[in-house]
Amino acid sequence: MHMNSAPHLLTEDRPEYERILDDALRHAHERPDLAAVGERLNPVQLRTMAMAATALITATAATEYEHYVKAREELRATAADQDAARGTGAGDPDRSGAGIGAVVTVLAPVLAGTAAVIFLLVGYLLKMLSPTPSFAGTMVGAGWFFAALTAAAILIAAIGLLVTALRNGSTSLAVDDPGEELPEDVARAREAWRHALLERGILPFLRDALADPGAAPAARTPYPSANRIPKIGYSRPDFSSPDDGPAAAPRPTFTSPDFSSPDFGGPEHEMD
């Protein structure tokens, strides 16, 4: 993102723009300057127009949005650095202990399961011999003990993974979820952007749409024709003839053919 130009609205902030727009339309009846909502244009038509003009509206709060995005990126970078430092801090006794615990959690089910298979297999094979060795029962008992240990290790590993996932999810929400508590500078920058977007972008756009003198009633023309409002639709072509064109030629007329006989007599008349 180039800081010397107006930043485009990021995809993650588009739902916030829609929420501010919907809230403004929902409470339009509380504002005298938006009292005409529903007369010429209804809320659905106004929302469609505002969504089509998102780039135009958000540009009015470009400075505040740039500051908010920069503060949010700095917060995320700081959180990422802290996570990386916690993940690579080999000198930290707590971290080294957690690393050993993770290794044991992963290896314990594998080792216990392998031991259970070996002891059970050998024990039951020994029991198949005709003179059953005395330690065959001990081998089978040890196999079932390691099988139970394997099940317990798998359960502990699953609980550990669940706790880790919940911890990482809460850390991510603290940065990305608008409903979570944010640092004061980020929260203040976001609130400034919201206020500027509403007061300098959305509300003026809605007022211009409702006050446009060329706008037809909502039942006939869905979109007014103002400079700030996108024009949608096509105008009818002009079928009138040009003023300086040639005069229309008269329509041809037809007369019935003359079927009268030629002016000469019969054979009894002699030609001169």
Side-chain angles (χ1 to χ4, degrees):
M1 182 185 302
H2 298 285
M3 294 303 178
N4 55 356
S5 60
H8 295 286
L9 185 67
L10 299 177
T11 303
E12 62 181 304
D13 295 322
R14 191 174 183 86
E16 184 66 22
Y17 169 78
E18 296 180 8
R19 280 193 294 268
I20 298 174
L21 174 62
D22 293 339
D23 187 70
L25 292 173
R26 191 180 304 110
H27 298 89
H29 62 280
E30 301 175 1
R31 295 177 175 269
D33 51 348
L34 300 180
V37 173
E39 297 178 1
R40 289 182 173 180
L41 297 171
N42 58 44
V44 176
Q45 293 167 331
L46 289 171
R47 189 184 192 279
T48 303
M49 294 168 59
M51 292 302 299
T54 299
L56 176 67
I57 295 175
T58 55
T60 60
T63 302
E64 289 80 5
Y65 183 62
E66 179 180 346
H67 180 65
Y68 167 52
V69 171
K70 183 178 180 181
R72 185 174 59 189
E73 290 178 351
E74 291 177 353
L75 174 63
R76 290 175 177 173
T78 303
D81 292 342
Q82 292 176 354
D83 292 340
R86 287 195 298 266
T88 58
D92 189 355
D94 296 335
R95 294 303 303 172
S96 60
I100 295 174
V103 172
V104 172
T105 302
V106 173
L107 292 179
V110 178
L111 297 177
T114 303
V117 172
I118 293 174
F119 278 103
L120 288 175
L121 181 61
V122 173
Y124 281 110
L125 286 177
L126 291 175
K127 281 192 172 185
M128 293 175 62
L129 299 177
S130 58
T132 304
S134 60
F135 58 89
T138 305
M139 297 285 289
V140 172
W144 284 114
F145 170 77
F146 281 110
L149 186 62
T150 301
I154 293 175
L155 180 60
I156 294 174
I159 295 175
L161 290 176
L162 179 61
V163 171
T164 302
L166 292 176
R167 185 185 299 115
N168 293 338
S170 62
T171 303
S172 176
L173 287 175
V175 177
D176 297 330
D177 191 359
E180 294 292 329
E181 188 70 22
L182 292 176
E184 184 179 357
D185 55 342
V186 181
R188 187 165 53 247
R190 184 177 64 180
E191 189 59 32
W193 170 61
R194 289 175 173 176
H195 180 77
L197 183 63
L198 177 64
E199 296 296 333
R200 297 206 304 263
I202 293 177
L203 292 180
F205 182 87
L206 298 179
R207 284 195 295 265
D208 289 350
L210 294 172
D212 179 48
R220 296 199 301 267
T221 304
Y223 299 102
S225 58
N227 292 331
R228 293 188 58 188
I229 301 170
K231 297 181 180 180
I232 301 177
Y234 301 91
S235 59
R236 296 185 302 170
D238 188 4
F239 293 103
S240 60
S241 60
D243 295 337
D244 54 352
R251 298 179 61 186
T253 58
F254 298 92
T255 59
S256 60
D258 188 4
F259 294 102
S260 61
S261 61
D263 190 11
F264 62 88
E268 66 275 9
H269 294 87
E270 294 182 358
M271 298 291 293
D272 292 337

